Amino acid sequence: MIIKREHYLDTIRPYYEVDLIKVITGIRRCGKSIILQTIKDEILNSGISGDHIIYINLEDIDFDYIVTASDLNKEIKSRIFDKKKYYIFLDEIQHVKDFEKALASFRATLNVSIFVTGSNSTLLSGELATLLTGRTVEFEIMPFSFSEMKEYFNKNNRSFSDDNIFDYIKWGGFPLRFDFKRETDIKRYLSTLYNSIIKKDIVKKNSRFDIKTFTDISLYILSNAGKEFSVENVTNYYKTHNKKTITRQTIYNYLDKMKKAFLIHAVKKYNISGKAALKADEKYYAVDMGLRIINTNSINFEDTFFLENIIYNELLIRGYTVFTGKTYNGEVDFVATDNKKKCYIQVSYLLASQNTINREFGAFAPIKDSSPKYVMSLDKIDFGRNGIIHLNIIDFLLHRKDIILS
């Protein structure tokens, strides 16, 4: 059984009747289509007649005749018979050439509320996007959070405990991966999904694109997510493993393609002393943990970067703008901000020694403002001290305890 993903729906509902095109984006197979169908069902259940709801999945072969904006325009207008409001749902709209023209026309000439999904962040970029400037609102969907994993397990009568965090750290939250029990099957599914993303959302019809090189580089970047990014490390890795060289520009092009396909999120640094965001992207985090280990055979659960990645994604899901923090003599893992309020967060696997405790809590020493400061770890004992709050990571992820910004 599927889960309703109330967090996203609660964010989108205020826009059901608003005269903006609702654009639902996110990595392929994260659950966008299910959310689109749920919205359709909610509108239908609100009393809207079924013949005033138009739903088209543009990856369905039944609609392979819809290739251009003109084709889409003809199809939609053939289904409209009166001047009452219609609700249009278009799944994976990027398959229609110049679709922006059709959407702009529908919005300008018809009494409609429009919802679309897409698996590439370039969905509303380029020359045609000017037709829709100021006329869209975007919602990014991500794979299951840990709390959604728990909800899914409970709904499907599967046992769940806090120890499932280790399964989540390793294999992530793509909804369909939970259909598989054996790790070999999960890994095969994730590898197949990754190859599909490359072919459908990155390569497309560019026959000159070097898939093997992109795969090698992108998987290396994913496996090192959370570490300070160095283009030199990437070039050295590629030269060592392939006996070839690769240009810096090619690597930056690959990073751009990964961001546009929602494989990674870029994180900027925040100068805590100067209270300003710096321009350069310093780190990249994977949109899902399962993508990090496609090219490896094991995982070190004590690698804090995996937990950092999970916390970063959770903060994004909760609507925070997130930076890494730069102090005058060090850094803080995250600065979570919202409406001019903020808090500081350090992430650790376990506070297993006094040196670790001193390091994690000591990271806040250069910070003189009174915004809340948190150390998050898997420890169940409260190590909080000197006004710095210690949070158990599982308690945070399952919403038993929350952060406060000021």
Side-chain angles (χ1 to χ4, degrees):
M1 295 177 66
I2 63 173
I3 61 173
K4 199 170 182 181
R5 308 197 77 177
E6 183 63 31
H7 166 75
Y8 294 110
L9 293 167
D10 188 54
T11 304
I12 302 170
R13 281 191 192 106
Y15 295 88
Y16 282 8
E17 302 295 335
V18 174
D19 187 24
L20 291 170
I21 298 169
K22 280 67 70 176
V23 182
I24 299 170
T25 59
I27 192 168
R28 187 171 290 271
R29 299 293 174 260
C30 69
K32 299 186 300 295
S33 297
I34 296 297
I35 286 179
L36 196 67
Q37 291 168 8
T38 305
I39 293 170
K40 175 180 71 71
D41 292 341
E42 287 192 352
I43 290 173
L44 187 63
N45 292 335
S46 72
I48 301 300
S49 173
D51 58 9
H52 281 65
I53 294 178
I54 301 171
Y55 188 99
I56 299 175
N57 180 354
L58 291 156
E59 290 196 327
D60 187 334
I61 196 170
D62 287 344
F63 300 105
D64 64 357
Y65 57 87
I66 302 177
V67 178
T68 67
S70 179
D71 298 331
L72 182 59
N73 181 65
K74 187 182 300 182
E75 176 68 24
I76 294 299
K77 289 190 174 178
S78 72
R79 300 192 189 197
I80 292 178
F81 302 100
D82 57 41
K83 296 191 180 297
K84 292 182 180 179
K85 193 168 198 173
Y86 283 76
Y87 297 81
I88 300 174
F89 298 87
L90 302 171
D91 203 358
E92 300 295 352
I93 188 67
Q94 73 273 5
H95 293 297
V96 178
K97 183 180 179 182
D98 298 343
F99 66 85
E100 294 96 335
K101 289 182 179 179
L103 297 185
S105 176
F106 298 156
R107 185 178 177 277
T109 64
L110 302 174
N111 183 14
V112 293
S113 181
I114 303 171
F115 302 80
V116 303
T117 73
S119 300
N120 196 295
S121 66
T122 59
L123 196 65
L124 296 173
S125 65
E127 294 180 11
L128 285 175
T130 57
L131 293 169
L132 301 177
T133 301
R135 297 173 173 86
T136 65
V137 58
E138 184 174 349
F139 308 91
E140 182 184 349
I141 310 302
M142 297 177 70
F144 283 174
S145 65
F146 188 54
S147 63
E148 287 179 319
M149 176 183 175
K150 178 182 180 181
E151 183 182 352
Y152 178 85
F153 272 48
N154 290 342
K155 195 164 186 178
N156 288 277
N157 298 315
R158 293 170 62 175
S159 61
F160 185 92
S161 73
D162 287 3
D163 288 341
N164 281 93
I165 188 64
F166 297 105
D167 177 80
Y168 186 75
I169 292 171
K170 187 170 186 178
W171 298 114
F174 278 107
L176 286 179
R177 79 92 169 165
F178 296 107
D179 289 348
F180 304 101
K181 303 296 190 298
R182 298 187 307 177
E183 291 198 340
T184 53
D185 296 327
I186 297 173
K187 189 168 186 177
R188 185 180 298 110
Y189 166 72
L190 292 173
S191 297
T192 302
L193 172 60
Y194 195 71
N195 290 332
S196 175
I197 291 168
I198 293 175
K199 291 175 182 177
K200 293 183 178 181
D201 299 322
I202 295 174
V203 177
K204 298 179 181 177
K205 297 180 180 179
N206 184 356
S207 60
R208 296 194 303 172
F209 190 84
D210 189 338
I211 295 178
K212 184 181 184 308
T213 300
F214 177 82
T215 302
D216 288 346
I217 295 295
S218 61
L219 289 177
Y220 174 80
I221 291 170
L222 285 167
S223 65
N224 287 278
K227 298 177 183 178
E228 190 156 328
F229 181 76
S230 164
V231 71
E232 286 76 18
N233 288 347
V234 180
T235 56
N236 291 338
Y237 162 82
Y238 187 75
K239 186 174 183 178
T240 300
H241 287 78
N242 295 277
K243 310 303 180 187
K244 300 178 183 176
T245 59
I246 187 169
T247 67
R248 295 170 63 93
Q249 187 57 51
T250 298
I251 293 170
Y252 284 120
N253 287 342
Y254 286 175
L255 280 167
D256 185 59
K257 291 180 183 299
M258 292 177 73
K259 287 188 283 186
K260 289 175 178 175
F262 297 101
L263 290 167
I264 55 175
H265 287 111
V267 190
K268 297 184 184 302
K269 273 193 177 178
Y270 183 90
N271 186 325
I272 295 173
S273 298
K275 298 182 180 180
L278 305 177
K279 290 183 178 180
D281 294 336
E282 294 290 339
K283 292 185 179 182
Y284 297 91
Y285 286 100
V287 74
D288 184 80
M289 304 307 296
L291 299 177
R292 297 190 54 157
I293 63 165
I294 289 174
N295 207 32
T296 62
N297 295 316
S298 61
I299 179 175
N300 177 10
F301 287 106
E302 296 184 19
D303 183 346
T304 301
F305 292 115
F306 285 87
L307 287 171
E308 273 187 36
N309 206 143
I310 289 174
I311 297 300
Y312 175 77
N313 289 347
E314 183 70 23
L315 292 169
L316 286 191
I317 289 169
R318 298 191 189 190
Y320 297 112
T321 301
V322 187
F323 304 91
T324 60
K326 175 67 176 175
T327 63
Y328 65 83
N329 66 344
E331 66 176 31
V332 174
D333 290 333
F334 300 120
V335 182
T337 68
D338 181 34
N339 195 26
K340 297 184 179 180
K341 296 181 179 181
K342 65 181 181 298
C343 74
Y344 303 104
I345 299 171
Q346 277 290 102
V347 181
S348 179
Y349 176 68
L350 289 173
L351 301 173
S353 68
Q354 192 59 49
N355 284 340
T356 303
I357 293 171
N358 292 342
R359 181 183 70 243
E360 301 300 340
F361 283 84
F364 300 116
I367 303 174
K368 303 306 178 184
D369 72 54
S370 59
S371 296
K373 303 169 182 68
Y374 296 91
V375 172
M376 295 187 181
S377 74
L378 291 175
D379 297 279
K380 295 184 178 179
I381 299 172
D382 186 351
F383 286 94
R385 63 181 189 178
N386 300 328
I388 300 170
I389 303 164
H390 176 235
L391 271 185
N392 175 268
I393 287 174
I394 298 172
D395 285 344
F396 174 65
L397 295 176
L398 295 182
H399 300 270
R400 296 169 184 158
K401 295 182 180 179
D402 205 350
I403 57 174
I404 297 172
L405 279 63
S406 68

